[in-house]
Amino acid sequence: MHVAILAGDGVGPEVVAEARRVLEALHLPQMQFEDGLVGGAAYKVSGHPLPEETLQLARRADAILFGAVGDPDCDNLERHLRPEQAILGLRSALKLFANLRPAKLFPELADASALRPEIAKEIDLVIIRELNGDVYFGEKGFRTTTDGYRQGYDVMSYDEQEVRRIARVGFETARARDGRLCSVDKANVLETSQLWRDVVIETAKDYPDISLSHMYVDNAAMQLVRNPGQFDVIVTGNLFGDILSDQASMCAGSIGMLPSASLDAAQKGLYEPIHGSAPDIAGQGKANPLATILSAAMMLRYSFGLGEPADRIERAVAQALAKGARTADLGGALSTSQMGDAVLAAL
Ligand code: IPM
Ligand code: MG
C-alpha cells in the first residue's frame, strides 16, 4: 500500500498532516507514504504545478492523498502554469473520471448547518460528479469578436461513452444505497445536457431496480436547500457537480467536513477534501482537518478494501464531534492539530 502524499498549497499541508497522523495511528502493516510537490508549491521550486516527477509518483502509487492547490501569488501566471492545473492534470492523466462526494450531516453539527436543523438532519446524499470532461476540458481561449470586443470561450461537450460510464457509477452507487438516482442537467437549454439525459435513460435499462429521476440544475440548487433529504444519489457533469457539492457541504455543516474520492475504472483513487487551499487562513492552524481525515477513510475503503479501519476513522470523527470538538468553521476554537488530537484520542 504505497500512498502518494500531495499536500499542495495553503491549508493543504496542515490538513494533510493530520490525516497522515490518523493513518499512522492505525498501524496498518505495509502502508508507506511518499511525499511529492504539487500546485503553487511545486511551481515555486520547479517552474511547473505538476512536475513530471510528481506525475510519475502519482502513477506509481496505489492511492493519492491530496490536500489543496491554489495560491494567490500564482493568479497572474499563464493558465497552464496555475496551481489548479495540477489537480485538473492529475484527474485527466490518471483518468479519474468518477468523483464521489458524500454529504451527510453528523447529528452533532445540526446547529452548524446553514439550514434549519430539522431540514439539515435529513441530509444523507452522494454527489457523483463526472471529472474528465465538460466545459472544464473543452476547447477554450480568448478571441476578438467581429465588433472588436474581447471574448472568452470554453466549449461544453460530452460524448456518449463519457456519460454512460459515469451514469453506471451513479446507478451502482444508488444500488448500494437507497436505490434512488437523480440525474442533474440543463436539458431545457443545453444540447450537451440533452445527450446526457438520453444516455442516462438508455443506461437505466440495465438497472430496472433503481428509481431514476431527472432534475434541472437550477431546480436542484433550490431543492438542496429546500428539502435535501429527498436526494439519495445525484449524478451530474463536471461543472454542475463542482457547484452543487460546495452547496451541499454548507447544508451539511461546513465545507471543512466534506471528503471526496476520485476514481478511475479500476478503483485507483485520489482522495481530497472538497475545499480549496483557503489562502486567507493558511499557516494559522485554523483549518478544519476533518474533510481530509474523512478522505483518508474513503481511501482505505475504496482503494484498499479496508472497510473496518475506515469505519474506525469515521466513528472517531463522530465521537470527537460528539465531545464538542469544533474548529472555527464549526463555531469553535480548536486549532487544526487540536482537532487532529481529538480524533486520535477517540481512535
Ligand atoms: C474542486 C475544486 C477544483 C474544481 C478547482 C481547484 C480546480 O473547486 O475540486 O471542487 O473546480 O474541480
Ligand atoms: Mg469546487
Side-chain angles (χ1 to χ4, degrees), residues 164 167-168 171 175 181 197-212 214:
R164 207 171 289 124
R168 289 196 179 283
F171 283 107
R175 187 171 266 175
L181 180 65
R197 189 175 284 219
D198 293 347
V199 174
V200 170
I201 291 170
E202 287 159 26
T203 310
K205 297 199 181 88
D206 295 338
Y207 300 89
D209 51 319
I210 303 301
S211 121
L212 172 66
H214 303 273

Side-chain angles (χ1 to χ4, degrees), residues 108 290 315-326 339 342-344 346:
E108 299 78 14
L290 293 182
R315 276 199 307 272
V317 167
Q319 260 182 49
L321 291 170
K323 286 201 174 144
R326 299 282 188 280
M339 183 58 112
V343 175
L344 284 170

Side-chain angles (χ1 to χ4, degrees), residues 91 101 129 136 241-243 245-246 255 274-276:
R91 289 171 182 171
R101 298 190 159 186
R129 169 187 176 195
Y136 270 63
D242 179 44
I243 298 166
S245 57
D246 268 33
I255 192 154
I274 79 152
H275 64 71

